[in-house]
Amino acid sequence: MTAAPKAVKKVVLAYSGGLDTSIILKWLQETYNAEVVTFTADLGQGEELEPARNKALMLGIKPENIFIEDLREEFVRDYVFPMFRANAVYEGIYLLGTSIARPLISKKQIEIAKKVGADAVCHGATGKGNDQVRFELGYYALQPGIKIIAPWREWAFKGREELLKFARDHQIPVAKDKEGEAPFSVDANLLHSSSEGKVLEDPAVKAPELVYQRTISPMAAPDKVTTIKIGFEKGDAVSLDGKKLSPATLLKALNDLGRDNGIGRIDLVENRFVGMKSRGVYETPGGTILLAAHRAIESITLDRGAAHLKDEIMPRYAELIYNGFWFAPEREMLQALIDKSQEHVEGEVTLELYKGNVITVGRESPKSLYSPTLVTFEDDKGAYDQKDAQGFIKLNALRLRTLGSRKRK
Amino acid sequence: MTAAPKAVKKVVLAYSGGLDTSIILKWLQETYNAEVVTFTADLGQGEELEPARNKALMLGIKPENIFIEDLREEFVRDYVFPMFRANAVYEGIYLLGTSIARPLISKKQIEIAKKVGADAVCHGATGKGNDQVRFELGYYALQPGIKIIAPWREWAFKGREELLKFARDHQIPVAKDKEGEAPFSVDANLLHSSSEGKVLEDPAVKAPELVYQRTISPMAAPDKVTTIKIGFEKGDAVSLDGKKLSPATLLKALNDLGRDNGIGRIDLVENRFVGMKSRGVYETPGGTILLAAHRAIESITLDRGAAHLKDEIMPRYAELIYNGFWFAPEREMLQALIDKSQEHVEGEVTLELYKGNVITVGRESPKSLYSPTLVTFEDDKGAYDQKDAQGFIKLNALRLRTLGSRKRK
Amino acid sequence: MTAAPKAVKKVVLAYSGGLDTSIILKWLQETYNAEVVTFTADLGQGEELEPARNKALMLGIKPENIFIEDLREEFVRDYVFPMFRANAVYEGIYLLGTSIARPLISKKQIEIAKKVGADAVCHGATGKGNDQVRFELGYYALQPGIKIIAPWREWAFKGREELLKFARDHQIPVAKDKEGEAPFSVDANLLHSSSEGKVLEDPAVKAPELVYQRTISPMAAPDKVTTIKIGFEKGDAVSLDGKKLSPATLLKALNDLGRDNGIGRIDLVENRFVGMKSRGVYETPGGTILLAAHRAIESITLDRGAAHLKDEIMPRYAELIYNGFWFAPEREMLQALIDKSQEHVEGEVTLELYKGNVITVGRESPKSLYSPTLVTFEDDKGAYDQKDAQGFIKLNALRLRTLGSRKRK
Amino acid sequence: MTAAPKAVKKVVLAYSGGLDTSIILKWLQETYNAEVVTFTADLGQGEELEPARNKALMLGIKPENIFIEDLREEFVRDYVFPMFRANAVYEGIYLLGTSIARPLISKKQIEIAKKVGADAVCHGATGKGNDQVRFELGYYALQPGIKIIAPWREWAFKGREELLKFARDHQIPVAKDKEGEAPFSVDANLLHSSSEGKVLEDPAVKAPELVYQRTISPMAAPDKVTTIKIGFEKGDAVSLDGKKLSPATLLKALNDLGRDNGIGRIDLVENRFVGMKSRGVYETPGGTILLAAHRAIESITLDRGAAHLKDEIMPRYAELIYNGFWFAPEREMLQALIDKSQEHVEGEVTLELYKGNVITVGRESPKSLYSPTLVTFEDDKGAYDQKDAQGFIKLNALRLRTLGSRKRK
C-alpha cells in the first residue's frame, strides 16, 4: 500500500533534534529527494534549541532552511489560557497538555511553508495516536492544498532495530540509552509532560516512579503548606503573590510550585480519537493549580446561568481540542461563547499547596457577585423576601403537581 | 403577609429531635392547633434516634404518631449510588451530599401522611436556601394536593433570641452551647457533612478548622499510604478489598478511610437555585474516593461514545438534583440513559489514599475494552492498520479544507 | 395578601391606548396617587399611535409625560434578526413572536424611567402568562432597584364586569364590542399575531377562522405560485427580489407575501414558563418565510460543525427567549456563538410561495461551501479519493468492533 | 492502491436485482472467485421481489443461496417508529428516510452470514456517500471480524461506459433507459424516496418535476381538505380514523394520503458524514404527517421538562442515525431516554391535509396534562394563585439584579 511518493520539492519538518526526527530528516531526503526545512520550537519542553540547529546542519540542512523559534509566550497566551478559560478537562481528568500544543506547531509549519515556498509538511507522530490527527487537521485547515508526509505511516521499517540501523547507516548519532526498546515515550511542553508506552501497557499495574518527569510524588513532597495568591483579569492569570507576570513566566512559576509540592500527576486510561483506549501518565503541575484557581475566581464573579452553560458545553469543547479541531469553526464559536463570559472574571484567589493537594482557601474580587447581605442567616434588611420563595416553589412545582395528578388517575 | 393559616388537621413533621425542629413542633401545635406526627430518619447523620423519640413524647406527641426509620441502606442504594453512576458533580466540585438526601425524606413524609391520613407536611428548612425547594418539590410531585407548612417563611420570630425565648416558654430544653449566635449551621448524612453560615460568610477568609465535622485535615493525616481495592458491578460499588459489602456498609467504610486520610474536604462558593451565591464547606470523604474509583472503572469498561455522552449530560443531571427535581420526568429520563450505560461497568480499581490524595494506580475488569494489542508501539500483528489513519484524517479534514479554500478566495 | 402598596412617586406605564391599559392608568393614579408617564411604542402591531396620545391626554396625563416611539426598525434589526440567526423555534413550532418584543419594551420603559426620574414601571400582563415574567426580568436586569407594579396580580377586581364598571365610572370609553366576554385575547407586532383564550380553550376543537388576524387561510389563498428571492448578508435578510430593504421594510414585505399566500399559521399547545400548558394560535407570515430562507442560505454557506452546534444549542436559546432571559448573560453568550457563525452567511435564496407552502427551490452564494466537483458521481479529477473512505470507516468502527468482541465473550 | 483481494470464500451481497448489484454479483464471482449469497429485502421500496430471485438464479446463484425477506413490519416497528418517538430531523429538515433503513439491512446480512457460514459481506454503496458508512458500521458492530467488500471503492471501472460494457460482456440485461448517463439516482423504502445526482447538482437550479417519485406536487393536488385522525399509544401511531392498523400498514396508508395531497417533498443541501455537501430531493409523505401528529400528541401529554430535554438531545440523536451509529451505545442510551418519556404519549390528533399542508386542528388524550382550569382567564377557583408569580419572578430575577448592580458600579 506504500504508494510511490508523489514528487515533493521542499518539505517543512517539525524537527526536535532528537533521534526519531533526525531519522525522518534523512529518510525524507532519501525517499523524496526533497529539500528539507527544519522547524524547531521552544514550547517549554525544557530542552536547549541550539543543539537542534547544530544537528540539522550536520545532517546537511542549509542554514537558511533552519527555523528555530521561542513560542512559549504565544503558546500560553493564545492557546493554554483560552483553553483554561473554559475549565477544559477531557474525560473528567486530562488537562489536554499535548493536544493544545499541536495546533500552534501546525500553524508555524504552514507559515514557514508559505515563506519558503515549500509544497509539503512533515511530522513525526505515529499512525496509532491522536497527534497525527491534530497536526494534519491543522495543516489542512490552514493550507488546504498542502502535501502531508507522515513517515510512520509510510515507511517500511519493521520495528526499532531497523530504525536504529538506518540511523547508524546515515551517521545519525544514537545515544547509548536509545539502544534497545524504550520503556515509554514522552511528550513535553510548558503545560505538561506525558508518558505512554511499554511499561504502562497494563492498566492494572501501577506506573513506576521513573516515568514521572517533572514532579516529585506527594509522598516525597515536603510536609509544609505553601500559600500562594493568583490574580486574574478577564479570566486569565496575570499575577502571582501580587506580582504581575507574563503568561509563560507565570505558568513556569506555577510549574515549579506544583513540582515541589507533588501536584498534578494523573494516571489514566483515555479514549483516543482513532478509536482505541490507551493508558498514559500525565503531569500538569502548574495547570492543575491554575484550574483550581480559575474555578475559584469564577465562583464569585460568574453568574449562575453563565457558569452552568459553560459547564455544559465544556466536554464538547475539550473533545474538540483533544480530537484536533482547534481551527474548526465550532471550536471558534464555543470560544466566542466562553470569552464572552470572562469579561468580569477578575480578582485574587488564595490557595494552599500541600503534598499533592491544591486547597482553595479564599477568593476576592472587585467584581464579586457574592453578597453577604443576601445570604446571611441574620436580618438582611429586606434584600431578600423569604415570602418570595413560596411563589417560586409553587410555580416550579406546578407541572410536577399536574403530573402527579395524572399518575393518581 | 403572614396570612391566617388555613385549617390543618394533621401534619407530618420532619423531626430531628434538635432544638429548631422542636420549636417548630410546638409552633405547629400552637399556630395550627393540629395533630403533629413526627418523622425521624437515620440517614447516617451519626446521631442516635431514640432521644428524638423521647423528646417527641415529652413534647406531647402520641406514641402512634412517632415514626422513626433507619433509611441508610435505601438512601445509599436508591439515591447515592444511582447519582454516582452519573459522576454527578455540581459546579465542578460539589458532590451533592445534601441535595440527594432531601427527596428520600420527602417521599417518606408523604408515605406517612397517606398512612396516617395527614393533610399537611412540614420541614425545618429556611426561606433562603435550596432545601425548602427540594423538600417541597418532592412533596408536590408525590402528593399534588398536600398542604405544606414552612415555618421559617411563616412565623413572626425576629432573630434567634425570640426563637430561644419561645423555646424556654414552652419547656423545650436549650443546650448551653445553643445560646448566642451559632457560628455555622450543619447538615449531615452518610454521604457528607455541610457547614454554612456566619464564620464562613466572607469567602476571602479561610474556613476555621472547627467547622470540619468528619474529616481530619490532610496536614493532620498520617504520613503513610493506604492502598485499597474497590469492586464494581453494573456501575455500583459492591466490595472493598475483595469483601462484598452492602451499600451503606461500604460507604461507611469508605468514609472512615477518607476521614483518616484527610480526604474529601471542599471549600466553595456555589450558586443556589433561589438566586444568590453562598459559601459552604463540605466533607464527602467516602464519596470522593467513590467518584475517583467509578471514573477509573468506567475508563476501561465504557465505550468512548457512551462516556462522552454521559459527560455532556452530567452537568444538567447534577443541576436537576441540586435544584430538587429528583422526581421530575427529565431526571428519570437522564437516569434511564445513565443506567443503560452501566451494564458492563464492573471490575476492580486500586487506589492509594494519602494525606488528602486519592490516587488511581490500577484498574482491571473481565469486561475491559482496553486492548494492549491495539495500542502497542510494537508489532500488533494487523489488529490496527496504520494506513487507515490517512483516510480517517483526510475525510475528517475535508470540510476544513473546503473552509480553508473559501478563506483564501 | 394585597399588601398596602409602597409609596410610588412616578411610574412609567406601557400604554397601548386600549381599554385595559387605560383602566390600569386610572387605577395607578387612584391606588398609588402617582404621577403616570405613558409609553406607547410602534412595534408594527398595525395601530395608529396618535389616538393613544389623545387618550392619555384625555385621561389626565401631562403632555411631557407622554412618550411615543416608532421602534419598528430597532425591533427587527436588534431583536428579530439576531434571533433568526439562530433559527430559533420553541417546542419545535413557535417562532417566538411575542417573546422577542417584550425585552425591547422593558428596555425603553427603563430608559424613560431614568430620564424622567420615575421610581416605578408598570405593565398590563396578567398573572398567569409568560409576559409578566419577560417584562419584569427585563426591568430588574436593567434597573435592579426599580419598583414594579403588576396591576393584574394586585387589584381586587373580580372578573371582567367589575373592570368595565371601573372604566365607566372613570369616563374611560368602552367600545360596544368590548362588552361581554372577549372570545380571545390578542398580541401583535411586526413579527406576528397571537391569539389565546376562551374560544381556544379546548385543544381538541379546531380554532375558528375568526381568530386569525393577519393571514388568509391556505384554502382561501390564490391558486398560483409566487416566486421570490431573498438576499442575505452576515445571516440577516437584506434584499427582496434584488432590492435592498431596511429590516422592518423587508419584514413588512414578507408579511404581505405571507398573508396573501396563506403562510405562517400555527395552532399549538405550548408549555408556559409559569408551569401550565396553554393553547394558542399564532400567525407569523413573514417570519415563516424568513426561517425557511435562512436555513437554505446556511445550508450552502455554513460548515457542518458550525451548523450542528447551532442546531444543538438552539432549543436552549429559544427557551431562554421564551422564558424572558434576553438580558441574561447566558443568552448573550449563546448570541456570541451564533453571531460568530454568521460571518459568511450571505447569498440569495429562491422560494416559491403557494397556498401555505414555502418551497425552497434554489440557493446560491459567493461564499458557497458546496462543491459540485467533490460530490459528483462523475470523474472528480482527484478532488476526493474514495479509498480514503475505507480508513475513515474502519477507524470510526474500531470502538464498535471492540464492543462487539466483548459481547461475543 | 487496489490491493490484491484477500481470499474470500462466501459473501453475502445486498442484492436489489437491479443492474448495479447484478454487475457487483458478477464482479464478486470473478474477482474473488467466491460463492455469492444474495439477500433481497422488501422494505417497501415498491418493487416486486420475485424478479430478483429469477435474476439471481440466471446469474448462477444457487437456490439455497438466495434469501428474500419481507421486512416492512420490522422496519417500521423497530426502526422508523423508535426514531419518530424522538421527532428526529437532520439539519432541521431531513426525516432520515434512507439512514434508518441501512442498519436493518446490515443486521440481516450479518444474520445470514452467520447462518450460511459466510466470511464476507458486500454492499453496493458508492465511496462518496453516507450509505457505505452506515452499512459498514452496522456490519462491524454486529460481527467485528467480518470481511467487507465495497466494490465501488475497489474496482477499476472508469465511468459508466465501462460498467455497462462489463454487464454486456457477462450477459447481464441492460434496460434501454440505463444506457447513457443517469440523470439522478434513487433510493426508496416505506418511509421515503430520495433522489440525488446529475440534474440536481446545481443547488441554485430548481429540481425538475421528473425527479419526484412518490408524491404529486402541492400545485397538482386536489383543491379539497382531507381530515384524518391518528391515534397513538406509548408514542407510536396505532390507528387511523379510529381503525387499528399494523405499523407498516399505517405508514403505507399515510403515504397514500400524503402522496395524494402533495405532502412531504423537500429539496435541500445537506452535510454528509464523509465531509462534503450534497443536494438531494426527498419525499416522505407519510413521515411528514406522522411527525406533525406526534408533536401534537406530545404537546398535551408530555411534561415541559421532558419535552425540552427531548428537543435538546434530538439533533445529536438524528446525527447519530444519519452517520450510521444506530448500533452504537450512545444511540441506545439516547433511545432509553426517549422511550422513557413516551409512556403516557397516547391519544388522538386531528389533522387537515391540503395541498402540501399538514394542519393540526385538534388533539385529545386520556393522559392529557392540559388543564383548562389552570389556564383560563376566568375565575379558576384557586387552582393557580396569581400572587405566586411575583415570588417566582423575583427569585428568577435575583441573579440578574445582582449582575445589574455590578454593571452600575
Side-chain angles (χ1 to χ4, degrees), chain A residues 91 128 201 203 206 267 272 277 302 304 308 319 330 352 354-355 357 363 370 376 399, chain B residues 91 128 201 203 206 267 272 277 302 304 308 319 330 352 354-355 357 363 370 376 399:
Chain A
E91 300 189 340
K128 285 191 168 179
E201 273 185 10
K206 185 177 171 180
D267 171 342
R272 289 191 187 155
K277 291 183 180 289
L302 212 58
R304 183 184 71 203
H308 289 201
E319 184 185 66
E330 63 271 31
E352 292 183 351
Y354 174 73
K355 278 185 162 287
N357 295 276
R363 52 312 251 169
Y370 176 89
T376 186
R399 63 184 180 96
Chain B
E91 299 190 342
K128 283 191 169 180
E201 272 186 10
K206 184 177 169 179
D267 171 342
R272 287 192 188 155
K277 290 182 180 290
L302 213 59
R304 183 184 73 203
H308 289 201
E319 184 184 68
E330 62 272 31
E352 292 183 352
Y354 174 74
K355 278 185 163 288
N357 296 274
R363 50 315 248 169
Y370 176 87
T376 186
R399 63 185 181 93

Side-chain angles (χ1 to χ4, degrees), chain C residues 21 93 133-134 173 249 305 310 333:
Chain C
T21 51
I93 188 161
V133 190
R134 296 168 187 152
T249 317
K310 281 189 70 207
M333 289 161 65

Side-chain angles (χ1 to χ4, degrees), chain C residues 277 302 308 319 330 399, chain D residues 277 302 308 319 330 399:
Chain C
K277 291 182 181 289
L302 213 58
H308 289 200
E319 184 186 67
E330 63 272 29
R399 63 185 180 94
Chain D
K277 290 181 180 290
L302 213 59
H308 289 200
E319 184 185 67
E330 62 272 30
R399 63 185 180 92

